[in-house]
Amino acid sequence: MSRASSARSERPWIPLAVAAGAIAVGVGFAFGMPAYVVFVSTSVLVSMVSLLGLGIVTGTAGMIALCQLSFAAIGAWILEFLYLDTPLPAALGPMAFIVFMLIAGLVTALLGLIVGLPALRLRGVNLAVITLGVAAALDATLQKISFPDHGVAHIPRPFGLGYDPQGDRAYFIFAVVVTVVVALIILAIQRSRTGGSWKSVAFSERGTASAGTSVRTAKLSAFALSAFVGGIAGCLIVGQITQVNYLTFTPINSLGLYVLSIVVGSHLIDMALFGGILFVLIPEILKQMRVPLEWSSIAFGILGIQALTTNTNLGSTIRAAIFRRRRQAERQRAAESDVTSTLTTTTHEAPIPAGTGRPLLVVENLTVEFGAVKALTNVSMTVEEGTILGLIGPNGAGKSTFVDAIGGFLPQHRGTATLDGQSLDGLPPHQRARAGLRRTFQQDRVPPTMTVGAYVRFVTRGTADALAIDDALAFFGCPEASTPLSVVDVGTRRLVEVAANLAARPKLLLLDEPAAGLSHDEHIAFGDRLRRAPGHFGSTILIIEHDLDLVRSVCSTITVLNFGEVLATGDRTTVLSNPKVIAAYMGETEML
Amino acid sequence: MNFVVALVVGLSAGALYAVIGVGLTLMSVLTRVINFSIVAVGVFGAFLSIRAVPLLVQAPPEVRTAVVVAIAVLVAATISGLLGWIEATWLAEASTTARSAVTVASLLMLISLSFVLFGSRPQPLRPLLVGPAFVAGDIAVTKVGVALLITAVAVAVAAWIVIRRTPLGVQLRAISDRQTAAELLGVNVKALQIGVWVVVGGIMGLCISIIGNTGAADATSMITLVIPGAAAALVGAFKSLPMAIVGGLLVGALQGALTAFPSITLLRDWIPIVVIILFLLWNQRKEVWDVAR
Amino acid sequence: MRINRIKLGATVVVAAGAIVLSGCTADSPGSTPATGEPIKVAALSGLTFFPEAPQAVQAVFDDYNDAGGFKGQPIEYTVFDDKTDPAVSSTAAKDALDGGAVALVGSSSLLDCAVNHTTWEDNNIVSLQGTGVDPFCFSTPNIAPANTGPYFDTFATLYDGSENLGFSSICAAIVPDDEAGKSAYEQAIAAWSAETGQELAYIDFSLTRGQASYAGNVAALKGEDCDAIMVGEVGPAVTAFLGEAANQGLSLPVLVLTSCYSDEFAAGVTYAGDIHVPAEFSPYTDPNDESNTDWAAVMDAHAVPKTSFAQGGYLAAKYFIAILETIDGHVTRDSFTEAARAMTEPIENPMVGTPWIFGEGDSHQANRSAWPLVIEANTNTWTSLGPWLIGDDLGWVDTTTG
């Protein structure tokens, strides 16, 4: 079952076949339809490319950007500048347009990078306000400097295409090819680790960093690629209209594009393409009915509010429906062949793993202060390679602070930490993760926009192949790789998180209350798997847990924290019978 | 041009940004939304109210003005309340981003509707106040600027008193901090939130009536005043009312002062936004992560 | 899937509402005594900026069709909204050509000429512009507007100010739109300087469309030594500009362009100085005016608002019919264009100071006349001053030649 699902996600020829089909349809359309329809349909392609670009930042990476058409304006401006104010067109001949388009895209990407810089500290609507401000400022600037064409001449089209019906048809095919190439590139990137980092950063920055991915790179790459595609869209507009002015790129149009992006869910490539059709079709229908075109924006506004109030978009609604049907069909098949899953049953109980005797993590004098409050005071600890160490203590003892500090999320701490002889001091979280130190979170940090398999691939940073992924998922009894995480319940997501991090085969994995939300039976199964994990994955584990039964059943060594200090440490029976530990736990219900 | 003149003129314009900034901050704090439609509802109220003038030709001018302004306030409050009702009904549990995105969609609608309803013809929306409040040489402080600054400060002070000193304020703080807990305590969250929308909408209707057609060229340009207004609120990180007022005056003063240097006309559009971004980056330099833990 | 239906439903509702609310832009069906094969004409207009220009054209054509049309052929008129966006405008141009239009009549737009003039030339179709704004309306072979345009307008405004009203130190604040517009304004100003020997005391080209506040521009003007201010913007923007000027205590006389000549402008403005305008058509607000009698009757009969844009549309339609009636054979795009170019006798109309002609030539600016009016300080009505300012008498030579 699992293998079949992995195979389904690995059929790279499908997008290429769809792309080839799309180009064939485009050619047929270009010569089969009236000239006017072909010309208008070029606008559909331009909108598609704009939405594809916006989908990267707003849909995939979850940041509100209200300046997508500003990027298009910059791209268009650069293309015109290169054509009219440089000697390059003569030198490049028929290839000039394509070369200029790429240059324009790259320069726009650079500017996108700059616009994206504030996103490293500013989030959500703050970022929305700033991007809107940028859009307004650029609008005023473009009014003053105006486009290089000065409304005088037609900017030449690629390959010397004319501005007549024949040229319109050929340019449409050119635009189809550009759109298809852009869509393919974005699809490939979305399926790559970079794409995973966008989806991850949209849901949680901490989760992204602890998967070994730089949050900064994720955000800036999203902005840069989005701007690049925006610049390409601007060039396509110039090629279609052969002249532009600032009114083509007003902030209001950017707002409209953003709202449309919400309606269709433009991070999904097919939906971005569909949105492009809507963006042109609705005004076109209004035009044929002789209705002022402003009504199309009003329609988009209503659709946007409808989409937001129901918290859906066309794309995910359709996908969820398809998934449910597939699920149903599979379940039916499974019932017919009468195969029952035996994933959760285990044959014999594994022993508590013994270590190699080598110290893996050495922490010395770790101190963390939040203002006047000391969260951790001179905590020293050694984790032995190949063991499972339990870190326990009453609420507020500093356990999670310890994990945060070791994970690199509290750079202000004092003291030192070394992993396998390598100093961790001063390293940001994603570099600690790459050095072999992984962690999971108490809170849900698993992005629901990915599938289980894609998430594991992202967390392992591509080191695990399909077999290894299926193995890790089966090891913890997780849903199969093709399951969307959005349909997985929160408790199971935590298991997927643990499985994914172990599949990355880290030297040390810090688990922060991984079993919260599991039933008693699941607890027992989880404990058994955990005991076998160091042997199976070659990782050492440090676990924070409130459930002392679980701790007792998996850990060879236990460290107790109380009021930010180490209260006791040693093998589990000694520590758990220590009177000071019992005193610290008085009143805590989990004890005994 | 005299730098001081330009600065004073800029401060007058900044008073309007301050009012918008205060309104935005208030809504952000109390209803978890950055209301991009905040100016649009005011503009709609004011521009629709003048449609009543032909019905009032018999009335004395003072009565006519009072009725028109009252209509502007009512219409703005109603549209704003309608938006608030949508938010409170369907998006009560949604994220700030989703709630704000609704106001982006409604902004798009209102801008387009303003094209349809008001076109770009001159509108006889006479301002409530005209002329300078006081003059010293070339320096003139406009009545509108003074009135709006007073409004901004008055709204901020009133909000502070209501929130900190009255039982209603306790409830308002409760719904913004712990909405579910407030519901369990029997606070009518929905009504309170819609109430905030109505009040802020009404204030915007009043402010746009004060400015009349002396600010921007048409309804759409006026609606885009939300951008410098939001910039003002950003200075206070959508949390601090005094900083929103400071921010508004700062943006206005920057814009004004920069007109004293005609050679940098291109930079004039960029300096305020860049200054605010830099300020925020400095102010939020510790916000390395999206959540505290 | 359910969600899709809801969304489609919403679209339909919006679209239906749109039809109801806007049911005045399109061809009104009804009994047309002219029943032959229709002669198709089109217009590209910013419907939100100039709604009444195409309505005025339609009114003239309706009356013409009712009276039998052109040898039994009715005129079928289609208006495309260009949304003041070049992309939309050029798409609409293709749409109009695709629909078989023989000519464009009464287009009123801020950018139609700049975007589409080469398209018109490539397709051998002429445009009798109602209200042309950008310089390409007055400097290209296939476009001939009924109005005077902002560049002659600027010249006439300045001339009236310096020569008739006696201002010697005029300051100006102008929205240039783009480089082409800016240089066209500069040429018009230079022409005025050459003719009168006057110079502008100060000029501010930093205005932009849709500016949120004119405080800075007004403050800058106050620092200059001006005895009059020329404001080069459209009506609503001038209203805002003058409001800000009043707030800062200014009351200098103001010279504005023809687009400010409307009842709404007079009703909305708040200013303590005289506001002078030279209008591009004869003054319809003047109770003693008789030149607009027919125009006013047609507009009233078809419930079209009476504005200068409606005057432009009406004149463009009348000019179209005049050219149409010189065609002998089949009315096609080519035959109409040929007829327009073959014009030798200009068309007289009391609504303009100079007769109108298309004719040969690579540029057309037939209307070179303006009628001075004023809104006196602290009032809200237009007072007609006159007499006609005629371009040839003022020494105007076409400045916008590409």
Side-chain angles (χ1 to χ4, degrees):
Chain A
M1 193 159 78
S2 300
R3 205 169 309 135
S5 66
S6 298
R8 182 161 41 230
S9 61
E10 282 172 20
R11 283 184 290 190
W13 51 269
I14 288 187
L16 290 176
V18 172
I23 293 178
V25 170
V27 172
F29 188 89
F31 291 106
M33 299 301 270
Y36 169 69
V37 175
V38 174
F39 184 80
V40 170
S41 303
T42 312
S43 307
V44 173
L45 298 168
V46 169
S47 314
M48 284 176 177
V49 177
S50 300
L51 275 171
L52 282 171
L54 184 60
I56 295 169
V57 168
T58 292
T60 313
M63 297 177 278
I64 305 184
L66 300 178
C67 60
Q68 190 61 19
L69 287 178
S70 305
F71 294 139
I74 293 167
W77 198 94
I78 293 169
L79 180 88
E80 290 201 346
F81 174 80
L82 291 172
Y83 253 123
L84 297 175
D85 296 339
T86 65
L88 290 173
L92 290 166
M95 293 304 290
F97 193 92
I98 292 179
V99 175
F100 291 168
M101 193 158 79
L102 289 174
I103 297 175
L106 289 174
V107 177
T108 313
L110 199 69
L111 293 170
L113 213 62
I114 296 170
V115 174
L117 279 176
L120 299 180
R121 288 294 176 276
L122 305 173
R123 298 175 179 85
V125 283
N126 285 2
L127 192 63
V129 172
I130 283 175
T131 52
L132 189 58
V134 167
L138 187 77
D139 184 52
T141 302
L142 284 176
Q143 278 201 54
K144 283 173 190 161
I145 63 173
S146 65
F147 278 86
D149 63 39
H150 303 332
V152 181
H154 289 302
I155 299 292
R157 285 176 163 177
F159 310 115
L161 298 175
Y163 194 68
D164 50 13
Q166 268 334 90
D168 287 348
R169 291 180 197 279
Y171 185 75
F172 176 79
I173 296 171
F174 173 80
V176 168
V177 173
V178 172
T179 309
V180 165
V181 170
V182 168
L184 278 179
I185 291 173
I186 293 180
L187 183 68
I189 296 178
Q190 275 192 346
R191 290 187 172 176
S192 74
R193 221 160 61 217
T194 309
S197 73
W198 295 339
K199 289 178 192 165
S200 177
V201 89
F203 188 68
S204 167
E205 294 181 8
R206 284 170 180 259
T208 308
S210 53
T213 303
S214 159
V215 170
R216 192 184 317 168
T217 313
K219 284 184 172 179
L220 291 184
S221 63
F223 259 101
L225 187 69
S226 172
F228 178 84
V229 176
I232 298 287
C235 295
L236 281 182
I237 295 177
V238 175
Q240 183 200 4
I241 311 298
T242 68
Q243 57 182 211
V244 290
N245 74 7
Y246 72 96
L247 288 160
T248 310
F249 309 103
T250 52
I252 295 174
N253 290 348
S254 281
L255 287 184
L257 204 63
Y258 168 73
V259 172
L260 184 62
S261 165
I262 292 176
V263 173
V264 295
S266 69
H267 55 293
L268 306 167
I269 286 172
D270 47 343
M271 283 298 131
L273 302 181
F274 175 65
I277 296 174
L278 274 190
F279 200 53
V280 176
L281 194 65
I282 292 183
E284 197 57 29
I285 292 171
L286 293 182
K287 190 158 86 183
Q288 299 309 331
M289 299 191 311
R290 309 285 174 252
V291 170
L293 295 185
E294 278 72 25
W295 284 98
S296 66
S297 298
I298 297 171
F300 288 137
I302 292 175
L303 290 178
I305 292 179
Q306 199 271 338
L308 284 161
T309 48
T310 52
N311 193 23
T312 51
N313 55 56
L314 273 179
S316 44
T317 309
I318 293 170
R319 271 169 170 64
I322 291 173
F323 177 78
R324 269 198 303 276
R325 284 190 61 174
R326 214 175 68 198
R327 231 329 136 71
Q328 229 161 19
E330 269 173 16
R331 224 174 262 154
Q332 218 157 14
R333 264 206 312 279
E336 278 160 13
S337 58
D338 199 30
V339 175
T340 46
S341 168
T342 52
L343 277 173
T344 49
T345 55
T346 46
T347 43
H348 63 277
E349 208 165 84
I352 291 176
T356 61
R358 213 163 67 86
L360 182 71
L361 176 75
V362 180
V363 179
E364 281 171 353
N365 298 323
L366 182 68
T367 300
V368 177
E369 291 166 2
F370 298 117
V373 181
K374 275 198 172 182
L376 291 175
T377 315
N378 289 326
V379 171
S380 297
M381 188 187 295
T382 303
V383 183
E384 183 189 341
E385 189 179 53
T387 61
I388 302 178
L389 180 139
L391 183 62
I392 62 170
N395 282 331
K399 304 183 297 284
S400 290
T401 306
F402 177 81
V403 173
D404 271 357
I406 299 298
F409 289 98
L410 294 171
Q412 313 292 358
H413 66 79
R414 292 199 299 274
T416 61
T418 51
L419 180 74
D420 204 10
Q422 184 196 352
S423 170
L424 296 175
D425 301 333
L427 291 182
H430 66 277
Q431 286 186 12
R432 294 188 191 212
R434 289 179 199 176
L437 180 103
R438 293 300 185 102
R439 65 164 295 184
T440 66
F441 291 89
Q442 268 187 49
Q443 305 83 353
D444 180 24
R445 295 267 193 266
V446 183
T449 45
M450 299 169 109
T451 63
V452 170
Y455 172 69
V456 179
R457 210 166 25 249
F458 167 67
V459 170
T460 60
R461 309 191 67 239
T463 56
D465 58 15
L467 276 179
I469 291 173
D470 287 346
D471 169 66
L473 291 173
F475 187 88
F476 278 97
C478 297
E480 62 182 60
S482 66
T483 316
L485 278 160
S486 52
V487 302
V488 176
D489 67 89
V490 176
T492 312
R493 277 187 210 176
R494 311 274 309 275
L495 284 185
V496 174
E497 191 186 9
V498 173
N501 277 289
L502 279 170
R505 299 185 175 266
K507 289 172 184 163
L508 177 67
L509 176 60
L510 312 174
L511 297 175
D512 197 348
E513 298 196 17
L518 295 183
S519 69
H520 181 70
D521 290 345
E522 288 169 328
H523 258 214
I524 290 172
F526 180 70
D528 186 55
R529 286 171 180 134
L530 216 51
R531 281 195 297 276
R532 292 189 289 133
H536 193 95
F537 296 101
S539 302
T540 305
I541 294 173
L542 183 152
I543 179 170
I544 295 180
E545 189 49 64
H546 268 297
D547 179 357
L548 291 184
D549 283 339
L550 181 63
V551 172
R552 200 179 279 131
S553 72
V554 301
C555 301
S556 51
T557 321
I558 291 178
T559 298
V560 185
L561 283 181
N562 197 20
F563 295 114
E565 295 184 52
V566 177
L567 189 68
T569 187
D571 77 81
R572 63 190 164 121
T573 37
T574 327
V575 169
L576 290 179
S577 53
N578 184 331
K580 279 199 288 183
V581 174
I582 294 170
Y585 263 92
M586 285 283 257
E588 293 266 335
T589 46
E590 299 98 317
M591 190 66 194
L592 305 175
Chain B
M1 181 182 37
N2 189 329
F3 181 79
V4 181
V5 177
L7 193 69
V8 172
V9 164
L11 283 172
S12 299
L16 174 60
Y17 308 154
V19 179
I20 300 169
V22 165
L24 283 169
T25 307
L26 211 53
M27 298 204 64
S28 162
V29 170
L30 295 178
T31 66
R32 288 193 304 116
V33 69
I34 309 297
N35 183 4
F36 287 96
S37 299
I38 191 168
V39 184
V41 298
V43 169
F44 260 74
F47 276 64
L48 285 177
S49 70
I50 51 175
R51 302 274 164 109
V53 171
L55 307 174
L56 298 163
V57 277
Q58 307 292 335
E62 299 79 29
V63 177
R64 197 188 311 158
T65 307
V67 172
V68 166
V69 171
I71 292 174
V73 171
L74 273 177
V75 172
T78 308
I79 300 175
S80 188
L82 192 67
L83 277 175
W85 175 75
I86 290 175
E87 300 268 8
T89 307
W90 286 294
L91 291 157
E93 304 292 327
S95 66
T96 304
T97 307
R99 288 164 70 91
S100 306
V102 167
T103 67
V104 174
S106 59
L107 171 67
L108 182 69
M109 278 175 63
L110 290 171
I111 288 177
S112 304
L113 260 181
S114 85
F115 266 125
V116 174
L117 288 177
F118 314 124
S120 55
R121 316 293 309 282
Q123 298 283 327
L125 179 64
R126 310 289 292 278
L128 281 186
L129 297 168
V130 193
F134 35 88
V135 182
D138 271 348
I139 303 174
V141 179
T142 67
K143 281 183 191 162
V144 172
V146 174
L148 289 178
L149 189 59
I150 291 172
T151 311
V153 173
V155 171
V157 170
W160 188 85
I161 291 173
V162 168
I163 292 173
R164 295 286 154 199
R165 292 276 181 274
T166 67
L168 178 65
V170 177
Q171 294 195 345
L172 284 171
R173 269 185 291 162
I175 62 164
S176 68
D177 294 346
R178 296 269 155 77
Q179 184 170 329
T180 325
E183 263 164 10
L184 290 175
L185 288 173
V187 176
N188 190 342
V189 173
K190 195 169 165 181
L192 272 182
Q193 292 211 332
I194 296 176
V196 173
W197 282 82
V198 166
V199 169
V200 173
I203 293 170
M204 290 319 296
L206 176 67
C207 289
I208 302 297
S209 297
I210 293 176
I211 309 162
N213 56 12
T214 66
D218 49 50
T220 309
S221 316
M222 214 179 255
I223 288 171
T224 55
L225 282 168
V226 73
I227 296 173
L234 260 184
V235 171
F238 288 100
K239 290 193 185 79
S240 157
L241 291 175
M243 284 304 279
I245 297 177
V246 171
L249 296 178
L250 175 80
V251 173
L254 267 176
Q255 282 180 345
L258 289 168
T259 56
F261 308 98
S263 53
I264 55 162
T265 152
L266 283 181
L267 283 178
R268 206 190 290 168
D269 304 316
W270 289 95
I271 287 177
I273 183 88
V274 170
V275 166
I276 285 169
I277 290 175
L278 292 178
F279 170 79
L280 276 174
L281 287 180
W282 175 79
N283 194 25
Q284 309 267 305
R285 64 194 178 284
K286 289 189 181 143
E287 302 294 316
V288 180
W289 300 105
D290 49 351
V291 284
R293 166 160 281 180
Chain C
M1 290 303 117
R2 190 181 62 89
I3 208 92
N4 294 2
R5 210 158 39 237
I6 294 173
K7 278 173 186 168
L8 276 177
T11 316
V12 171
V13 169
V14 169
I19 299 166
V20 172
L21 283 162
S22 69
C24 51
T25 40
D27 14 354
S28 51
S31 60
T32 47
T35 50
E37 188 198 346
I39 299 166
K40 291 180 176 171
V41 293
L44 272 59
S45 289
L47 288 185
T48 40
F49 281 70
F50 310 94
E52 59 280 358
Q55 291 174 31
V57 177
Q58 185 71 55
V60 173
F61 287 165
D62 282 350
D63 288 357
Y64 186 66
N65 291 341
D66 287 346
F70 177 60
K71 299 174 188 164
Q73 283 184 273
I75 298 171
E76 185 184 306
Y77 185 53
T78 312
V79 183
F80 296 90
D81 187 358
D82 75 7
K83 231 179 164 183
T84 318
D85 178 336
V88 180
S89 180
S90 64
T91 314
K94 299 254 178 186
D95 205 353
L97 292 173
D98 216 43
V102 301
L104 298 135
V105 179
S107 297
S108 300
S109 164
L110 296 177
L111 47 73
D112 168 34
C113 307
V115 173
N116 296 316
H117 69 94
T118 42
T119 307
W120 304 152
E121 288 152 32
D122 294 346
N123 290 280
N124 195 36
I125 189 170
V126 293
S127 172
L128 313 185
Q129 203 86 9
T131 300
V133 179
D134 65 82
F136 298 91
C137 298
F138 308 94
S139 59
T140 53
N142 286 39
I143 302 174
N147 69 327
T148 60
Y151 311 108
F152 172 77
D153 199 8
T154 302
F155 176 87
T157 300
L158 290 172
Y159 188 96
D160 189 39
S162 67
E163 307 309 302
N164 297 342
L165 302 168
F167 302 125
S168 60
S169 183
I170 302 175
C171 298
I174 294 173
V175 65
D177 273 322
D178 56 20
E179 284 298 321
K182 185 176 173 185
S183 65
Y185 277 114
E186 282 170 343
Q187 286 165 20
I189 293 166
W192 163 73
S193 293
E195 191 59 32
T196 62
Q198 298 254 18
E199 296 281 339
L200 285 179
Y202 168 81
I203 183 155
D204 179 358
F205 266 125
S206 75
L207 273 66
T208 53
R209 296 278 180 201
Q211 207 168 313
S213 161
Y214 295 96
N217 308 91
V218 171
L221 275 175
K222 281 180 72 182
E224 303 296 327
D225 186 23
C226 317
D227 62 1
I229 303 167
M230 182 219 155
V231 189
E233 245 287 17
V234 293
V238 173
T239 307
F241 191 100
L242 294 184
E244 180 62 35
N247 279 339
Q248 293 192 31
L250 270 182
S251 58
L252 288 173
V254 174
L255 312 169
V256 294
L257 301 183
T258 187
S259 72
C260 294
Y261 177 47
S262 69
D263 286 328
E264 291 99 324
F265 177 83
V269 76
T270 311
Y271 192 63
D274 290 350
I275 303 169
H276 292 274
V277 68
E280 56 194 341
F281 306 113
S282 61
Y284 63 89
T285 55
D286 183 350
N288 302 320
D289 169 69
E290 286 171 4
S291 59
N292 284 295
T293 314
D294 179 62
W295 169 77
V298 174
M299 295 304 112
D300 285 342
H302 293 267
V304 180
K306 291 201 283 275
T307 68
S308 61
F309 299 135
Q311 288 177 302
Y314 167 92
L315 284 170
K318 288 284 184 194
Y319 297 155
F320 172 79
I321 290 169
I323 298 175
L324 186 67
E325 291 184 337
T326 65
I327 299 176
D328 278 334
H330 199 51
V331 178
T332 63
R333 197 174 288 170
D334 288 338
S335 69
F336 185 86
T337 302
E338 197 188 333
R341 292 199 185 287
M343 269 180 91
T344 48
E345 279 301 304
I347 305 165
E348 296 277 354
N349 191 303
M351 286 166 69
V352 285
T354 51
W356 187 90
I357 187 167
F358 198 106
E360 288 294 334
D362 285 340
S363 66
H364 310 273
Q365 185 167 23
N367 187 356
R368 297 186 304 272
S369 58
W371 183 275
L373 295 108
V374 68
I375 301 175
E376 278 163 7
N378 293 317
T379 66
N380 288 90
T381 46
W382 289 105
T383 308
S384 176
L385 297 177
W388 282 111
L389 302 165
I390 306 293
D392 290 344
D393 303 344
L394 313 186
W396 165 256
V397 279
D398 241 359
T399 57
T400 49
T401 44

